[in-house]
Amino acid sequence: MKSILDSRPELARRVAEVAEVAGYLWQKGWAERNGGNITINITPQVDEEIRRLPPISDRMALGRTMEHLQGSYFFCKGTNRRMRDLARWPMEHGSVIRITDDCAHYEIIADKPVKPTSELASHLSVHNFLIGEGSPYKAVMHTHPIELVAMSHNPAFLEKDRLTYLLWSMIPETRAFCPRGLGIVPYRMPSSFELADATIAELAEYDVVMWEKHGVLAVGTDIMEAFDMVDTLSKSAQIYMTARAMGFEPEGTTLAQMEELRAAFHLPK
Ligand code: 2HA
Ligand code: ZN
């Protein structure tokens, strides 16, 4: 079957990266059933021929106007589709969408009319915010990492930057590779614009945000970068829980040690 990826190695590579990460999410146990979703902004990989492709779906309402998305294209995991299936057959369980000129609708253009993720409101609102900010970030990932979600059930951990410092202090890499820390979004209805807006408010300060009692959402220049930040935070959460399971509160690196690392790696404050 003909695919939009045929003879487009740059686009094919980005979709292959999404498939690779989808496999990791499944292997890690972060993607039960259809849990989690991924969208990537593929507008830079879109050529004139793609721009002329007729839609293969009705025009669907975004639910609000997203003024920075005019003429944008996204590869999106399908709603109700499994990450483990996206990993093997990305173009059967995901699709390419185009935002229409009114910035208030989308249409599917390839390969199959797979309806995009239930969290499209959050994902596209985040892309709209990123483009508006002039950000180079192209990837948005939402997943259900076990230890991090478990930590979000403790109200004490939801205090601003409590988890950021706790997770940074478990292993130096977390401070280095997730330098903006972990934002917190209080529980909101999945798929809602309330969740989308609360997420965007936190993304002004953080690249990864916790959705209380639900999961995390991460943004990055590409999907690997978004995945790596969540993987790094999750590793710290596992170290913390392993220490607690051994019967002690882990000491953690000190603020002075973290500050030394920040200066040496030229990390943001
Ligand atoms: O797509 O994870 O938050 C399933 C979800 C919704
Ligand atoms: Zn979810």
Side-chain angles (χ1 to χ4, degrees):
M1 189 213 156
K2 232 172 105 45
S3 168
I4 194 173
L5 304 183
D6 295 343
S7 314
R8 292 194 177 94
E10 278 303 310
L11 185 56
R13 188 169 66 83
R14 277 166 179 83
V15 171
E17 283 175 1
V18 167
E20 183 177 334
V21 166
Y24 298 154
L25 298 180
W26 164 249
Q27 287 159 16
K28 285 191 161 286
W30 299 352
E32 71 292 339
R33 198 176 180 276
N34 62 318
N37 23 71
I38 297 174
T39 57
I40 54 168
N41 180 346
I42 55 164
T43 314
Q45 285 76 48
V46 162
D47 53 37
E48 271 314 304
E49 199 184 334
I50 294 180
R51 291 195 173 276
R52 285 196 300 269
L53 283 177
I56 57 170
S57 73
D58 291 339
R59 281 161 68 99
M60 263 124 13
L62 292 175
R64 64 161 53 153
T65 303
M66 303 197 192
E67 68 278 18
H68 301 298
L69 294 190
Q70 192 175 55
S72 297
Y73 290 75
F74 298 90
F75 175 74
C76 308
K77 172 182 171 285
T79 187
N80 230 340
R81 303 301 176 114
R82 298 179 178 89
M83 279 294 174
R84 61 184 194 261
D85 291 338
L86 190 73
R88 291 177 294 176
W89 304 296
M91 297 311 285
E92 314 233 328
H93 298 280
S95 58
V96 174
I97 66 167
R98 168 196 291 143
I99 308 300
T100 57
D101 281 345
D102 64 0
C103 300
H105 296 81
Y106 72 88
E107 52 199 21
I108 304 170
I109 60 159
D111 282 348
K112 297 189 168 165
V114 174
K115 190 172 184 291
T117 163
S118 62
E119 297 287 5
L120 199 65
S122 288
H123 280 247
L124 290 186
S125 299
V126 168
H127 285 292
N128 187 51
F129 164 77
L130 293 171
I131 295 169
E133 293 284 288
S135 166
Y137 288 2
K138 297 283 187 285
V140 178
M141 179 183 94
H142 161 60
T143 189
H144 303 161
I146 301 164
E147 294 83 0
L148 289 170
V149 176
M151 290 177 112
S152 81
H153 284 263
N154 177 1
F157 285 152
L158 301 179
E159 196 185 298
K160 185 173 167 60
D161 286 334
R162 174 89 183 269
L163 274 182
T164 295
Y165 282 98
L166 178 68
L167 296 171
W168 277 351
S169 80
M170 287 298 104
I171 180 170
E173 273 72 6
T174 304
R175 178 73 181 87
F177 299 124
C178 193
R180 298 179 81 208
L182 179 62
I184 304 286
V185 173
Y187 184 82
R188 298 277 189 280
M189 182 66 188
S191 313
S192 66
F193 278 115
E194 289 72 31
L195 179 59
D197 291 341
T199 301
I200 289 166
E202 289 295 283
L203 288 178
E205 214 177 317
Y206 304 93
D207 289 336
V208 186
V209 301
M210 172 87 84
W211 288 352
E212 181 190 341
K213 303 183 184 110
H214 178 169
V216 299
L217 180 137
V219 293
T221 53
D222 56 39
I223 193 64
M224 288 295 165
E225 191 179 272
F227 170 78
D228 280 335
M229 281 189 286
V230 178
D231 193 28
T232 307
L233 289 166
S234 167
K235 175 66 163 277
S236 274
Q238 289 174 50
I239 292 168
Y240 176 78
M241 291 173 72
T242 304
R244 292 296 303 255
M246 286 190 281
F248 64 90
E249 178 75 24
E251 189 173 61
T253 54
T254 63
L255 280 177
Q257 287 165 335
M258 280 191 254
E259 181 54 26
E260 185 190 11
L261 194 80
R262 190 194 64 73
F265 282 69
H266 309 293
L267 301 170
K269 280 226 191 255

